[in-house]
């Protein structure tokens, strides 16, 4: 019981409340019992007090000789004496003071007073009122004593009731005070401490002195729990703060690494990386990655030794710089003497361009993240070298294509003119060897030679103009307008019109070049060979995104044998059409002249159609 009171504040408060209730109930029960016992005391006092008055009345009636009245009044006195006994808290046999006085009064009444009164009323005994009153004086004194006894009993009950109520009040006050004291000490103060600590914890202050609540009740258990929780949260918070600092530092390093990779990728996209600049990037990567000893060996795919060896820090002390094929073909970590070396080959499409090495003291190792950064840097360097190689190859191919174009243009223009001039020179030699020189024939041949030279010079100028043309900011439309302007200056008698509707069509450089050359070839043939005075050039787009190019003239029209080699540059235009996967048509117009039509689907439209098919 005591353990439960000590260990449970609820049980403690419940016990105090139960004691308070018991005191209140006891007080009420005792008050009820005492009040119930004192219920007839006032009636008994009144009845006993009325006996004195009736005794005085009998002393006045009996000497008058009225026997009936005397008997009636005597019976009423007897009845009242019996009623006093019936409402008293004692019986006639009790040995109480009041019981003895009652028996004395009863005995005096029955044995002396009543017989005397009846005898005087019956005139058997002569006695006047004064004498009778003197005779009744002892009886009346006994009645007064009995009345006093009843009054004393009532007062004792009232005093007892007062004592019970005072005791109950005192016990209640003591219990209430004790309850308030226990609540203040065991509940209010601990709750105040717990509330303040909870507010501090809510504000994030976990590092505080422990709560000094040593009780074994619920609040003590709660205080110890909060102390342990606060210590654990503080330790966890400190650990999380440390981990956040570490993660922040890692994120900062990752941000620096990403920024480095972004700048490197942007630089790679801008153009080739020379060896000196690549060495600067290697040094910056070493600072960003926190690595000291790095080697970057660059090799040709066919070479056995690096043509460039870039070192950051001390590098690999066991690297001899020759016969690197074994080093290039080795991937991952390896133990070499007092060092641990990580190798990352610069390889793409089964072509190896060298190796990136990181040297550490023996026993040390790289985590996964530094290895990923090394691999990413190696891939970036590989991509830069591969892009440079592809760009060089593209330049070679473009140079060869350009030379092939020049050769084709020379063959289709100057070569034919020179062949024609050669034939004319042969004719001139034959005419000159004859015995009689035909001056008219010689002059005709010389005129034709002069005309052929003029034509060759004109063709040479046109070829130079063609080779100098570049697709500038104005795009295909701008270069076409420049070409037409040149034609108009050279041939003012010919009206050349351009109908261009491809402003919203994204063409690749490859498509622009071939489309430009095809339009120039067809318009050049129309200008020089059609013998007309009007050339119309139109570039439009059909509903299926295909491009339509049409060049019309109002000249003499194409010959009946258009398949003749190099006639109107057909072979050249056919080749360009095949490069664009298009269809070329050359026909004679019914109203006169020649029409060249070319249809092809540009690259962006083919990609869109492919994506649409895949979605379907």
């Amino acid at each position: 019981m005591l353990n439960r009171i000590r260990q449970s504040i609820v049980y403690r408060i419940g016990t105090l409340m139960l004691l308070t209730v018991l005191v209140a109930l006891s007080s009420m029960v005792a008050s009820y019992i005492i009040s119930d016992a004192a219920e007839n005391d006032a009636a008994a006092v009144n009845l006993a007090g009325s006996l004195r008055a009736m005794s005085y009345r009998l002393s006045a009636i009996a000497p008058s000789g009225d026997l009936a009245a005397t008997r009636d009044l005597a019976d009423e006195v007897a009845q009242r004496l019996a009623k006093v006994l019936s409402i008293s808290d004692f019986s006639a046999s009790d040995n109480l003071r009041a019981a003895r006085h009652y028996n004395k009064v009863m005995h005096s009444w029955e044995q002396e007073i009543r017989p005397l009164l009846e005898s005087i009323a019956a005139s058997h005994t002569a006695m006047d009122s004064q004498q009778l009153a003197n005779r009744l004086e002892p009886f009346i004194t006994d009645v007064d004593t009995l009345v006093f006894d009843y009054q004393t009993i009532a007062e004792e009950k009232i005093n007892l009731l007062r004592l019970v109520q005072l005791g109950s009040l005192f016990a209640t006050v003591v219990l209430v005070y004790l309850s308030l004291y226990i609540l203040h000490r065991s509940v209010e103060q601990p709750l105040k401490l717990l509330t303040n600590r909870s507010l501090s914890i809510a504000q994030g202050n976990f590092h505080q002195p422990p709560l000094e609540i040593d009780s074994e009740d619920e609040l003590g258990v709660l205080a110890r729990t909060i102390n342990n929780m606060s210590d654990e949260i503080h330790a966890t918070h400190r650990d999380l703060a440390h981990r956040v600092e570490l993660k922040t530092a890692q994120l900062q390093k990752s941000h620096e690494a990403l920024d480095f990779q972004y700048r490197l990728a942007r630089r790679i996209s801008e153009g080739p990386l020379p060896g000196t600049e690549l060495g600067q990037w290697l040094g910056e990567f070493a600072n960003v990655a926190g690595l000291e000893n790095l080697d970057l060996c660059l090799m040709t795919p066919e070479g056995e030794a690096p043509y460039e060896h870039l070192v950051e820090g001390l590098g690999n002390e066991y690297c001899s710089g020759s016969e690197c094929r074994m080093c290039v073909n080795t991937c991952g970590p390896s133990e070499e003497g007092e060092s641990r070396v990580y190798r990352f080959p610069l390889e793409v499409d089964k072509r190896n361009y060298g190796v990136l090495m990181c040297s550490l003291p023996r026993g040390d190792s790289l985590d996964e993240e530094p290895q990923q950064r090394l691999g990413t840097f190696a891939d970036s360097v590989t991509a830069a070298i591969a892009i440079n190689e592809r760009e060089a190859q593209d330049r070679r191919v473009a140079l060869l294509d350009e030379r092939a174009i020049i050769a084709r243009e020379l063959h289709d223009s100057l070569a034919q003119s020179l062949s024609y001039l050669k034939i004319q020179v042969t004719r001139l030699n034959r005419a000159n060897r004859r015995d009689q020189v035909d001056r008219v024939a010689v002059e005709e041949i010389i005129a034709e030679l002069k005309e052929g030279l003029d034509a060759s010079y004109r063709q040479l100028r046109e070829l130079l103009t063609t080779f100098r043309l570049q697709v500038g900011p104005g795009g295909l439309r701008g270069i076409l307008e420049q070409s037409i302007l040149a034609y108009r200056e050279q041939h003012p008698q010919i009206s050349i019109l351009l109908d261009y509707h491809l402003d919203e069509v994204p063409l690749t450089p490859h498509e622009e070049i071939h489309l430009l050359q095809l339009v120039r070839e067809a318009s050049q043939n129309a200008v020089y060979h059609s013998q007309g005075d009007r050339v119309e050039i139109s570039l439009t787009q059909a509903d299926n995104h295909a491009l339509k190019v049409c060049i019309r003239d109002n000249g003499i029209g194409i010959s009946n044998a258009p398949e003749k080699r190099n006639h109107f540059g057909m072979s050249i235009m056919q080749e360009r059409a095949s490069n664009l996967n298009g269809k070329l048509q050359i026909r004679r117009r019914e109203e006169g002249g020649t029409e060249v039509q070319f249809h092809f689907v540009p690259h962006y439209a083919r990609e869109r159609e492919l994506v649409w098919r895949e979605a379907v």
Side-chain angles (χ1 to χ4, degrees):
M1 183 71 176
L2 294 177
N3 290 332
R4 294 193 64 183
I5 293 176
R6 185 173 63 255
Q7 295 176 358
S8 175
I9 193 170
V10 176
Y11 195 81
R12 194 181 312 160
I13 296 174
T15 302
L16 292 174
M17 292 180 62
L18 179 61
L19 290 176
T20 304
V21 171
L22 289 176
V23 169
L25 289 176
S26 299
S27 175
M28 287 186 290
V29 170
S31 299
Y32 175 79
I33 293 173
I34 295 173
S35 299
D36 184 69
E39 180 181 4
N40 297 320
D41 289 347
V45 171
N46 290 332
L47 288 174
S50 66
L51 291 176
R52 290 180 298 177
M54 295 180 70
S55 297
Y56 286 118
R57 288 178 61 190
L58 285 172
S59 64
I61 294 174
S64 66
D66 191 351
L67 182 61
T70 300
R71 286 180 176 175
D72 291 339
L73 190 55
D75 290 338
E76 187 175 354
V77 170
Q79 290 176 0
R80 292 194 176 188
L81 286 173
K83 188 173 181 181
V84 167
L85 180 64
S86 64
I87 64 177
S88 299
D89 294 336
F90 54 83
S91 61
S93 61
D94 290 341
N95 192 22
L96 296 176
R97 181 171 176 272
R100 291 195 304 269
H101 288 168
Y102 175 80
N103 289 331
K104 182 179 179 181
V105 170
M106 194 67 182
H107 181 269
S108 177
W109 169 258
E110 290 179 352
Q111 298 297 326
E112 297 179 8
I113 302 303
R114 183 169 184 170
L116 178 62
L117 292 174
E118 290 180 353
S119 176
I120 292 173
S123 301
H124 293 161
T125 302
M127 189 175 293
D128 57 13
S129 298
Q130 185 62 36
Q131 291 176 344
L132 183 58
N134 293 333
R135 181 69 181 83
L136 292 176
E137 190 64 31
F139 175 75
I140 292 173
T141 301
D142 292 338
V143 171
D144 289 339
T145 303
L146 181 61
V147 171
F148 179 76
D149 290 340
Y150 278 111
Q151 182 179 352
T152 303
I153 292 173
E155 290 176 353
E156 289 178 352
K157 290 179 180 179
I158 292 174
N159 291 333
L160 179 61
L161 179 60
R162 186 180 293 113
L163 290 176
V164 169
Q165 290 178 347
L166 289 175
S168 175
L169 177 62
F170 177 77
T172 303
V173 171
V174 171
L175 288 174
V176 170
Y177 175 78
L178 184 61
S179 299
L180 292 176
Y181 175 77
I182 292 175
L183 285 173
H184 173 71
R185 184 172 180 178
S186 302
V187 178
E188 182 184 4
Q189 290 182 349
L191 278 179
K192 186 176 181 180
L193 294 175
L194 291 172
T195 302
N196 293 334
R197 179 57 55 86
S198 299
L199 293 176
S200 299
I201 292 175
Q203 295 174 357
N205 186 10
F206 303 106
H207 185 56
Q208 299 185 31
L211 291 171
E212 296 181 357
I213 302 177
D214 299 330
S215 61
E216 299 180 2
D217 53 20
E218 294 88 346
L219 294 179
V221 174
L222 183 60
R224 289 189 292 273
T225 303
I226 289 179
N227 288 334
N228 296 332
M229 180 188 68
S230 181
D231 293 339
E232 291 181 0
I233 292 177
H234 176 66
T236 304
H237 189 269
R238 185 174 60 246
D239 180 64
L240 286 176
H242 179 66
R243 292 170 61 183
V244 166
E245 291 179 358
L246 293 178
K247 289 295 183 181
T248 302
Q250 292 178 0
L251 288 176
Q252 182 64 27
K253 291 183 179 179
S254 299
H255 172 72
E256 293 176 357
L258 289 175
D259 179 69
F260 171 80
Q261 292 295 338
Y262 168 74
R263 289 187 290 106
L264 178 58
R266 186 175 63 182
R267 175 61 186 87
I268 291 173
S269 65
E270 292 175 354
L273 281 175
T276 55
E277 187 176 356
L278 191 57
Q280 296 175 1
W281 285 104
L282 179 64
E284 185 176 353
F285 171 75
N287 293 330
V288 171
L291 303 173
E292 296 181 355
N293 303 324
L294 297 177
D295 292 82
L296 181 60
C297 298
L298 303 180
M299 303 172 55
T300 62
E302 297 80 11
E304 295 292 336
Y307 63 85
E308 190 162 8
H309 185 188
L310 303 176
V311 179
E312 180 64 27
L314 299 178
N316 184 7
E317 59 182 356
Y318 297 97
C319 182
S320 61
S322 61
E323 298 180 358
C324 297
R325 183 58 59 184
M326 183 66 68
C327 184
V328 168
N329 294 331
T330 304
C331 183
S334 62
E335 302 292 339
E336 298 180 5
E338 298 298 327
S339 301
R340 183 179 180 85
V341 181
Y342 288 83
R343 292 183 174 86
F344 299 87
L346 310 180
E347 186 175 6
V348 60
D349 296 335
K350 297 182 180 181
R351 291 174 61 87
N352 201 297
Y353 299 98
V355 63
L356 174 64
M357 292 186 295
C358 177
S359 301
L360 299 174
R362 190 180 184 90
D364 293 348
S365 61
L366 288 176
D367 295 335
E368 183 178 358
E369 187 173 357
Q371 293 189 45
Q372 291 179 352
R373 291 177 182 173
L374 282 167
T376 303
F377 181 70
D379 293 340
S380 299
V381 174
T382 305
I385 298 174
I387 290 174
N388 293 343
E389 187 179 75
R390 282 196 293 269
E391 289 181 352
Q393 181 64 25
D394 292 340
R395 286 193 294 270
R396 295 190 194 99
V397 173
L399 181 60
L400 293 177
D401 290 342
E402 185 178 1
R403 289 182 176 180
I405 292 172
I406 293 173
R408 184 170 59 244
E409 296 291 345
L410 291 174
H411 177 270
D412 294 336
S413 58
L414 287 180
Q416 295 183 16
S417 297
L418 293 175
S419 299
Y420 173 77
L421 292 176
K422 184 178 179 180
I423 294 174
Q424 297 301 326
V425 170
T426 302
R427 289 180 56 199
L428 182 60
N429 289 331
R430 289 179 180 177
N432 192 31
R433 289 175 183 174
R434 293 177 183 177
D435 296 335
Q436 293 181 355
V437 178
D438 188 353
R439 306 298 296 180
V440 176
V442 170
E443 290 179 358
E444 180 181 354
I445 293 173
I446 292 174
E448 291 178 358
L449 282 173
K450 183 179 179 181
E451 183 180 354
L453 287 173
D454 292 337
S456 299
Y457 181 70
R458 185 182 66 251
Q459 290 175 357
L460 178 60
R461 289 182 60 188
E462 291 174 355
L463 286 177
L464 292 175
T465 303
T466 301
F467 295 148
R468 289 173 180 172
L469 286 176
Q470 295 180 355
V471 180
L476 180 61
R477 181 171 189 162
I479 193 65
L480 284 177
E481 290 176 350
Q482 293 180 16
S483 300
I484 293 174
L485 182 60
Y487 287 141
R488 288 172 179 171
E489 292 178 353
Q490 296 173 7
H491 307 279
Q493 74 279 5
I494 301 177
S495 174
I496 304 176
L497 304 177
L498 175 63
D499 185 17
Y500 188 91
H501 295 284
L502 302 181
D503 292 325
E504 284 78 27
V505 179
L507 297 175
T508 64
H510 175 77
E511 293 171 340
E512 287 183 342
I513 291 297
H514 283 288
L515 197 58
L516 171 63
Q517 296 296 346
L518 191 145
V519 173
R520 283 178 54 80
E521 185 72 27
S523 58
Q524 183 176 348
N525 289 336
V527 169
Y528 290 112
H529 302 291
S530 67
Q531 300 180 14
D533 60 357
R534 182 181 179 86
V535 178
E536 298 177 358
I537 304 172
S538 65
L539 292 89
T540 57
Q541 186 176 18
D543 294 337
N544 61 349
H545 301 288
L547 300 188
K548 179 181 179 182
V549 181
C550 183
I551 298 94
R552 304 185 184 91
D553 63 68
N554 60 350
I556 60 176
I558 193 172
S559 64
N560 295 327
E563 69 279 359
K564 183 179 178 180
R565 180 175 177 84
N566 294 326
H567 187 77
F568 284 90
M570 288 182 56
S571 60
I572 299 175
M573 290 190 292
Q574 289 289 354
E575 184 177 353
R576 296 192 188 280
S578 63
N579 288 333
L580 294 178
N581 296 320
K583 183 178 180 182
L584 179 68
Q585 293 180 349
I586 302 175
R587 68 179 185 87
R588 180 191 292 269
R589 300 174 63 193
E590 295 180 358
E591 61 273 21
T594 304
E595 182 180 62
V596 178
Q597 288 189 359
F598 173 62
H599 299 265
F600 84 103
V601 179
H603 179 71
Y604 88 96
R606 292 198 301 270
E607 284 189 343
R608 180 183 298 177
E609 185 178 1
L610 180 61
V611 172
W612 181 82
R613 288 179 180 176
E614 290 179 353
V616 173

